[in-house]
Structure formats: structure tokens, C-alpha cells
Amino acid sequence: MAIRKITNLGHPVLRQVAREVPNDKLGSPELKQLIADLCDTMIEYEGVGLAAPQVFESVRVFVMYGGAEESDESSPAPIVWINPRLEFEGDAQAEGWEGCLSIPDLRGRVSRHEAVVVSGYDARGEHRSVRYEGFSAVVVQHEFDHLEGVIFMDRMKDMKSLTYVREFDRYWQTPEKEEE
Ligand code: NI
């Protein structure tokens, strides 16, 4: 078990376009180690998703909770995406609150596609596609953005909703609005 340090906003790695994992590295021990570390780090810091650039590794890998068939409700395991591709289903978008482990203490409202199909590789190097909607669709778009060097604030149409967590909890958090 290895908990990695998380990059804060301002570190150049968060603004790089991450490189693809080469085919011959899919399912490799090094990649499995990175995935295990991402999961441990995400759990330690109570995130719902974590992308490799957030632990200083500029490769197209992220882990997340929720949504996929293999995730058992009683013991949800993080889901791994390697070299993912996104396909948006229709134009419908929904706005919700987002935060980011690399931007601690801030929240802001972001519009995201409501439904998205992700295809890519799992930890064993097997290809698959999963359709996400609702909160999982938000998480997958947020994490995918990290592979493109994009952060949630770049997606905010109006910066007026930007708030510290303390003020978020005090003034903005309602059960139906909570997105994290
Ligand atoms: Ni993030």
C-alpha cells in the first residue's frame, strides 16, 4: 500500500496532455502498482476519482468510484480506466458542484454531459465500454479532463459560484445539490 503525494494546482504536470500507455505495458506490474497507488491515495483522501497526473505521472490512467456493472453495491471497488475515450450521448447537459483533490478547499458549479460512453482498458489490459449517467458521468468527465490538462474551473461558465468548502457547507450544500 502506497499513498502518494497529490499535485496541487500550479504544478505543470496538471496542465500537460498525458501520454497513452503503450500496448506492451497494459497489464504490466508497473502499471498495476500505479493503479494500486491511485486507489490507495484516492481512498486516503476521500476522493471519488483520481487521475495519474494528480500523482505526478503524466499517463492516461484514472480510477473512480461508481456506476460500472462490476462495482458491487456492498463493497464498491474503484474502477480503472486506461487510455480511455469518451463519447457523449446526445447534447443534454446538467450543472452540478465539483471539487478536486488538486484544488483543495474550493467548489464550483460546472456543466457536464448527462450521459457518456467510455471505452478503454482495465487493470488486466482488457478492453471494455461502459455507459455512465448522473454522478458517475460527471466523475468520468472530470477525471478524463485531467488527462487533457484541463481542470474543473476551466469548465465553469460563471466563476460566481466558486466557493470555499466552509462557505459551501454553510450556504450552498443541500442534499440534491451535493455532487461530491
Ligand atoms: Ni480533479
Side-chain angles (χ1 to χ4, degrees), residues 154-171:
D154 302 339
R155 300 274 188 202
M156 288 175 67
K157 289 189 183 123
D158 185 345
M159 296 302 277
K160 283 179 187 160
S161 68
L162 197 63
T163 174
Y164 283 104
V165 169
R166 215 176 110 131
E167 282 66 25
F168 173 80
D169 290 343
R170 196 159 167 191
Y171 299 110

Side-chain angles (χ1 to χ4, degrees), residues 115-180:
V116 58
V117 176
V118 187
S119 49
Y121 297 88
D122 66 14
R124 291 160 300 173
E126 278 166 34
H127 196 268
R128 64 179 172 184
S129 290
V130 178
R131 181 181 180 276
Y132 293 99
E133 56 181 29
F135 183 60
S136 301
V138 171
V139 176
V140 88
Q141 289 170 79
H142 178 117
E143 299 312 325
F144 183 86
D145 271 353
H146 278 301
L147 308 183
E148 296 290 305
V150 172
I151 60 156
F152 79 84
M153 281 150 146
D154 302 339
R155 300 274 188 202
M156 288 175 67
K157 289 189 183 123
D158 185 345
M159 296 302 277
K160 283 179 187 160
S161 68
L162 197 63
T163 174
Y164 283 104
V165 169
R166 215 176 110 131
E167 282 66 25
F168 173 80
D169 290 343
R170 196 159 167 191
Y171 299 110
W172 301 104
Q173 190 170 32
T174 59
E176 71 274 23
K177 272 184 184 167
E178 193 180 1
E179 285 284 340
E180 251 217 342

Side-chain angles (χ1 to χ4, degrees), residues 7 19 26 33 41 44 50 69 77 91 114 119 143 169:
T7 48
R19 63 184 188 278
L26 292 170
Q33 186 59 58
T41 307
E44 173 69 16
L50 190 65
E69 310 78 27
D91 294 325
E114 281 182 6
S119 49
E143 299 312 325
D169 290 343

Side-chain angles (χ1 to χ4, degrees), residues 62-94:
F62 65 77
V63 298
M64 60 179 277
Y65 275 120
E69 310 78 27
E70 64 256 57
S71 159
D72 170 354
E73 286 293 320
S74 58
S75 59
I79 291 143
V80 180
W81 285 105
I82 299 159
N83 297 344
R85 292 185 199 287
L86 293 197
E87 218 176 295
F88 300 122
E89 208 179 84
D91 294 325
Q93 297 214 348

